[in-house]
C-alpha cells in the first residue's frame, strides 16, 4: 500500500513540475496585467476566473478524450511523446534564449482592452495558448493516455492546483512585479525554460525507446 502511494506521489510530482514549467504562470503575469490594464479590480478578477476555468476545460477534454483521439487518427503514444518532446523542448529553449521575449505582450497591448471585451481576452490569449497551449495539451495527453483513471484524476487534480495558483498570481500581479522586479521575473522564466527543455528531451528519449523497441 505504501509502495502504491509512493508511486502515485512520484507521478503527481512529475506531472506538477512538467505542467508548472509549461504553463509558467509567473511569465503570464505581465500579459494579464497588460490586457486588463483598463479594467477595475472586479473585472480583472472576473477575467482571471474565466481564463483558468476555460483552460482547465480544454485540458480536461484533451486528457479524457486522448485515447479516442489516438484511435480515430491512428496515433501511437510513442509518436505523441516524440513529437511532444520536440515541441516542449523548443518552447523551453525559446524561454531560455528569450528570442520572443515580450513580443507577444507588445502585440497584445497595441490596443486598449475594455471590460466588455473580457470574455474574448479570457479565451485568447490567456486560456489558450498561455495556460492551455500545445505544450500543456501534449503533456497532459501523454501522461493521461497511458495510465488508468486514477492517474487521469491525478493529472486533472494537479492541473487544477496549477490553475488556482495562476489565478492567485493574476490577482496579485501588480504587487508581485513591484516586489520582485522585472529582472527577477526574467530569471525565473529562464529557469523554468531550462526545466522545460530537460523534460522535453526526456519525453523525446522515452518516445524513441518505445517507438523502436530498444
Amino acid at each position: 500500500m505504501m509502495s502504491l502511494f509512493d508511486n502515485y506521489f512520484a507521478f503527481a510530482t512529475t506531472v506538477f513540475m512538467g505542467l508548472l514549467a509549461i504553463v509558467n504562470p509567473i511569465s503570464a503575469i505581465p500579459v494579464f496585467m497588460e490586457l486588463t490594464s483598463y479594467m477595475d479590480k472586479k473585472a480583472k478578477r472576473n477575467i482571471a476566473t474565466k481564463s483558468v476555468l476555460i483552460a482547465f476545460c480544454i485540458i480536461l477534454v484533451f486528457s479524457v478524450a486522448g485515447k479516442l483521439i489516438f484511435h480515430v487518427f491512428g496515433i501511437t503514444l510513442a509518436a505523441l511523446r516524440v513529437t511532444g518532446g520536440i515541441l516542449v523542448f523548443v518552447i523551453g529553449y525559446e524561454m531560455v534564449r528569450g528570442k520572443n521575449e515580450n513580443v507577444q505582450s507588445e502585440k497584445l497591448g497595441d490596443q486598449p482592452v475594455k471590460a466588455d471585451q473580457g470574455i474574448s481576452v479570457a479565451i485568447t490569449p490567456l486560456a489558450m495558448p498561455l495556460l492551455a497551449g500545445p505544450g500543456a495539451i501534449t503533456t497532459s495527453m501523454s501522461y493521461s493516455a497511458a495510465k488508468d483513471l486514477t492517474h487521469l484524476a491525478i493529472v486533472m487534480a494537479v492541473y487544477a492546483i496549477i490553475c488556482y495558483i495562476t489565478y492567485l498570481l493574476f490577482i496579485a500581479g501588480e504587487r508581485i512585479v513591484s516586489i520582485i522586479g522585472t529582472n527577477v521575473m526574467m530569471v525565473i522564466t529562464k529557469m523554468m525554460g531550462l526545466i522545460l527543455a530537460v523534460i522535453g528531451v526526456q519525453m523525446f528519449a522515452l518516445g524513441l525507446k518505445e517507438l523502436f523497441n530498444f
Side-chain angles (χ1 to χ4, degrees):
M1 186 67 181
M2 200 58 162
S3 176
L4 185 62
F5 174 80
D6 290 341
N7 289 335
Y8 285 149
F9 181 77
F11 177 75
T13 302
T14 302
V15 174
F16 179 79
M17 292 303 298
L19 287 177
L20 183 64
I22 292 173
V23 175
N24 194 9
I26 293 180
S27 67
I29 293 176
V31 179
F32 175 82
M33 292 174 59
E34 177 69 23
L35 291 170
T36 60
S37 60
Y38 292 87
M39 300 180 186
D40 55 27
K41 289 185 179 181
K42 183 178 179 180
K44 288 182 179 181
R45 189 178 296 271
N46 186 35
I47 298 307
T49 302
K50 288 179 179 178
S51 63
V52 296
L53 287 177
I54 293 170
F56 179 82
C57 290
I58 292 172
I59 296 299
L60 177 63
V61 168
F62 276 95
S63 295
V64 172
K67 291 183 179 180
L68 177 62
I69 294 174
F70 287 172
H71 177 73
V72 171
F73 293 98
I75 302 172
T76 64
L77 179 61
L80 175 66
R81 281 180 171 157
V82 170
T83 306
I86 295 173
L87 177 62
V88 170
F89 172 81
V90 170
I91 295 173
Y93 173 75
E94 292 297 343
M95 287 169 61
V96 173
R97 188 180 180 189
K99 180 179 180 180
N100 297 322
E101 190 172 310
N102 293 329
V103 171
Q104 186 179 37
S105 57
E106 289 173 2
K107 291 181 179 179
L108 296 173
D110 288 343
Q111 300 296 329
V113 179
K114 299 179 181 179
D116 59 359
Q117 297 174 306
I119 186 62
S120 176
V121 169
I123 296 173
T124 305
L126 291 179
M128 179 182 279
L130 287 182
L131 303 182
I137 291 174
T138 303
T139 302
S140 62
M141 285 181 62
S142 178
Y143 282 129
S144 301
K147 305 295 182 179
D148 54 27
L149 290 178
T150 302
H151 288 84
L152 172 61
I154 291 175
V155 172
M156 297 318 304
V158 167
Y159 190 73
I161 293 172
I162 293 175
C163 284
Y164 184 66
I165 293 173
T166 303
Y167 170 80
L168 295 178
L169 291 175
F170 280 171
I171 297 302
E174 294 181 1
R175 190 182 309 168
I176 292 173
V177 173
S178 63
I179 292 175
I180 69 175
T182 55
N183 290 334
V184 175
M185 182 172 293
M186 181 182 68
V187 171
I188 293 174
T189 299
K190 290 184 180 296
M191 289 176 60
M192 298 299 282
L194 179 61
I195 295 174
L196 197 56
V198 173
I199 291 174
V201 172
Q202 187 176 26
M203 288 178 61
F204 178 79
L206 181 59
L208 280 182
K209 182 178 180 180
E210 295 178 353
L211 198 61
F212 295 103
N213 296 317
F214 64 81

